[in-house]
Amino acid sequence: MVVTRRVVSARVFQERSGWDMPSINPECCVVQCTLRFAQIPYEVAVADPGRNLPVVELIFGQGPSTICDGLGEFMRGMKDGGYDVDRQLTMVQKSEAAAFRSLIQDADLARILEWWIDKENFRLGLKSLLEDDYRFPMSEIYPRWRRSKVLHERRLTADEDEISFLAEDAYGCLESRLGRRDWFFGEHPTTVDAFVFGYFGCASSGQIPDGKLSEMLSSGFPSLTQLVKRIKERYFNTPSSANFVQPQVEPRKSKTPVRSPEEQQTWKVSMRYAAGMMMIFFGYIYLQSETAIEFI
């Protein structure tokens, strides 16, 4: 393939970092990991509410930049820009890599169930984490909107035990395939290693109150756990990578005005009313019909 334009840098718009991972969104972690494998410098910012993530702006040496919405577009954009981290693989190995990536994404249903769908885990885990990124009332609206979006997209037709078993079985296959090797294929990391870092790394690192999944993954799959640790040490925590990415943009914090107790109570009631109206508005747009989760 003839490359007419080459990627020279990138901007990554993502969900916040957390729990010792570059982002609490696995796909955003895959993007950052792939960029580091390709040694492409990039900036990171917390995305605006309502955007489908990750959003990556690929900046070329010449010509206009390209906006990639989602992980699939990002991977295609990287190839078009002359960076295919799977280029050394044979056709058979590329087919195997595609199968492994699909397996990893299927196993991620267990994380989605534990993080987003379980109400108590969501309230005490992700919600409290996401609230730190935005001012009121968006601090109340955005976490609920994200959960509603996940529920709308994921109409699960299997029970919790079956989903957990599928994840354990999928990661068991990957554990056997990796064995004692540093990487899944050859002497260099590939997209499969980046996917394991993003999906397995997030699922095993999540600090969820009833975190059965993270406990099972971190203790039952030593090779995959070591792979995540290896990528962090070689590509994220080394002195050479310390200035590789600009500091993540922190949301501005509003200055709280001084109010009397009565004014404060009135203000809270008004803001809750405004938040409720905005939630109804978001719900009308994204959930025109009631979201249902079917358990067999």
Side-chain angles (χ1 to χ4, degrees):
M1 181 181 68
V2 178
V3 179
T4 58
R5 299 194 303 160
R6 185 168 293 275
V7 177
V8 296
S9 63
R11 296 187 182 95
V12 181
F13 300 90
Q14 63 168 39
E15 277 182 313
R16 60 163 298 153
S17 60
W19 301 328
D20 200 32
M21 292 295 291
S23 173
I24 59 173
N25 185 314
E27 293 188 348
C28 297
C29 290
V30 174
V31 166
Q32 284 206 45
C33 190
T34 303
L35 288 170
R36 287 181 180 258
F37 285 169
Q39 296 184 330
I40 296 176
Y42 62 93
E43 301 174 355
V44 175
V46 176
D48 294 331
R51 300 185 71 170
N52 292 320
L53 303 176
V55 176
V56 185
E57 180 183 7
L58 296 178
I59 302 169
F60 297 88
Q62 58 182 0
S65 60
T66 298
I67 302 296
C68 304
D69 290 308
L71 184 57
E73 284 192 16
F74 165 74
M75 289 297 186
R76 288 189 291 271
M78 288 288 285
K79 285 185 179 181
D80 294 341
Y83 290 96
D84 180 5
V85 295
D86 290 345
R87 63 187 178 278
Q88 78 273 17
L89 301 185
T90 65
M91 292 303 297
V92 173
Q93 288 175 328
K94 287 183 178 180
S95 297
E96 292 176 350
F100 284 139
R101 292 194 300 268
S102 178
L103 194 64
I104 293 168
Q105 289 179 311
D106 287 344
D108 194 51
L109 282 176
R111 181 194 62 85
I112 292 171
L113 179 64
E114 184 171 278
W115 286 22
W116 292 100
I117 297 178
D118 185 287
K119 292 182 179 179
E120 193 66 14
N121 280 346
F122 171 75
R123 185 178 69 84
L124 298 176
L126 277 181
K127 182 175 181 292
S128 61
L129 194 66
L130 292 172
E131 283 176 341
D132 294 338
D133 283 338
Y134 303 102
R135 295 190 293 262
F136 188 85
M138 287 308 299
S139 61
E140 291 291 330
I141 295 170
Y142 179 68
R144 290 178 172 83
W145 172 80
R146 279 286 285 120
R147 182 171 187 267
S148 297
K149 188 171 183 291
V150 171
L151 294 177
H152 189 67
E153 293 173 346
R154 300 285 186 174
R155 299 175 182 268
L156 304 182
T157 58
D159 60 28
E160 182 177 354
D161 291 338
E162 182 178 351
I163 291 174
S164 178
F165 170 77
L166 291 174
E168 187 174 3
D169 185 61
Y171 284 127
C173 293
L174 293 162
E175 175 80 8
S176 299
R177 174 63 176 81
L178 180 60
R180 296 183 178 181
R181 290 185 289 268
D182 282 353
W183 313 110
F184 275 88
F185 297 98
E187 300 299 321
H188 303 282
T190 62
T191 55
V192 179
D193 301 286
F195 269 61
V196 169
F197 175 76
Y199 287 92
F200 181 87
C202 281
S204 60
S205 302
Q207 297 175 15
I208 301 299
D210 187 19
K212 298 178 182 177
L213 178 66
S214 60
E215 182 180 351
M216 183 264 289
L217 295 182
S218 58
S219 62
F221 302 93
S223 295
L224 298 181
T225 301
Q226 284 299 314
L227 174 61
V228 172
K229 182 178 179 181
R230 185 178 306 115
I231 291 175
K232 286 181 181 179
E233 291 176 348
R234 295 188 185 184
Y235 291 93
F236 286 87
N237 296 334
T238 61
S240 61
S241 68
N243 298 318
F244 192 76
V245 55
Q246 291 190 4
Q248 182 163 303
V249 176
E250 294 293 337
R252 293 177 298 173
K253 301 295 183 180
S254 61
K255 295 182 179 179
T256 304
V258 178
R259 300 186 179 94
S260 67
E262 293 78 10
E263 291 174 332
Q264 184 71 12
Q265 182 63 27
T266 302
W267 180 81
K268 285 183 178 180
V269 172
S270 300
M271 289 299 99
R272 287 172 182 169
Y273 175 79
M277 295 301 295
M278 293 183 71
M279 289 176 66
I280 292 173
F281 173 73
F282 275 104
Y284 176 77
I285 294 177
Y286 295 104
L287 300 173
Q288 295 183 13
S289 61
E290 182 179 358
T291 303
I293 305 175
E294 299 178 1
F295 290 94
I296 297 178

